[in-house]
Amino acid sequence: MARTPSNMVTLGTKAPKFELHNTVDDILYSSEQLFSKNGTVVMFICNHCPYVKAIIKDLVEDCEKLKDFGVNSAAIMSNDTINYPDDSYENMIKFSAKHKFSFPYLIDETQEIAKRYDAVCTPDFFGYNRDLKLNYRGRIRELRDLKPVRNGSSELYEAMKLISQTQKGPDIQKPSLGCSIKWFKK
């Protein structure tokens, strides 16, 4: 498990478009269907990553609470499923059901979307405003020994709440840390 920080993509960068298949309801979604007028979280996660497992309960709760502010969420899984079968489409269906996802869990079979977003780890968060401009590149919260540090609301939740109200993210953003995305071997 290589501990990898997020690439801090330049704030203001426009959200790349995509069209991906969803494990939650077996529908093909376009980014246009998912982006919201108050803000959108696009996150790269997977089933097997211990960092994702450590924050998944908080993540599901945050995404649910953010709906009250008109913020949509979408998760994308971009790992190589041949060499990492725990992240297979079938296991994505089980993972999303087990954790009661209320947001799409999309599979990026070609890894093209992860590359367009410059995602490098799981979890990796991208928070956009109504103009689809990147305003948050932080983490959900601090982890110590793969345990969430609970000192108030999550950083992701507070950032997206702020974006929904002001269309601007917080001044201080700490990168997410997680496992590297499992790229196809060439």
Side-chain angles (χ1 to χ4, degrees), residues 36 40 44 50 58 60 62 70 112 120 133-134:
S36 168
T40 306
F44 290 81
D58 292 333
V60 170
D62 282 358
E112 227 14 75
V120 294
K133 291 186 177 174
L134 186 64

Side-chain angles (χ1 to χ4, degrees), residues 9 63 85-86 95 103 129 152 176 183:
V9 176
C63 291
D86 286 350
F95 191 78
F103 49 85
N129 68 9
S176 188
W183 302 106

Side-chain angles (χ1 to χ4, degrees), residues 103-183:
F103 49 85
Y105 190 21
L106 309 163
I107 188 162
D108 178 16
E109 295 173 293
T110 65
Q111 301 184 321
E112 227 14 75
I113 306 310
K115 290 175 185 171
R116 279 195 230 157
Y117 274 79
D118 203 13
V120 294
C121 63
T122 57
D124 208 351
F125 301 101
F126 297 77
Y128 294 94
N129 68 9
R130 78 168 59 102
D131 298 324
L132 302 181
K133 291 186 177 174
L134 186 64
N135 273 266
Y136 188 66
R137 279 297 288 131
R139 62 189 181 184
I140 190 164
R141 63 174 65 244
E142 180 182 3
L143 291 178
R144 283 195 200 128
D145 298 322
L146 292 175
K147 301 229 180 324
V149 176
R150 302 204 185 285
N151 53 356
S153 296
S154 85
E155 294 167 38
L156 174 69
Y157 173 79
E158 291 299 330
M160 293 311 298
K161 180 178 161 186
L162 179 66
I163 289 168
S164 76
Q165 296 166 339
T166 68
Q167 296 303 300
K168 298 237 184 266
D171 293 332
I172 297 172
Q173 301 183 17
K174 296 176 183 168
S176 188
L177 289 170
C179 295
S180 62
I181 288 180
K182 307 311 181 216
W183 302 106

Side-chain angles (χ1 to χ4, degrees), residues 44-59:
F44 290 81
I45 66 171
C46 70
N47 308 330
H48 87 274
C49 173
Y51 293 92
V52 172
K53 288 177 179 179
I55 57 96
I56 196 66
K57 182 178 182 288
D58 292 333
L59 179 63

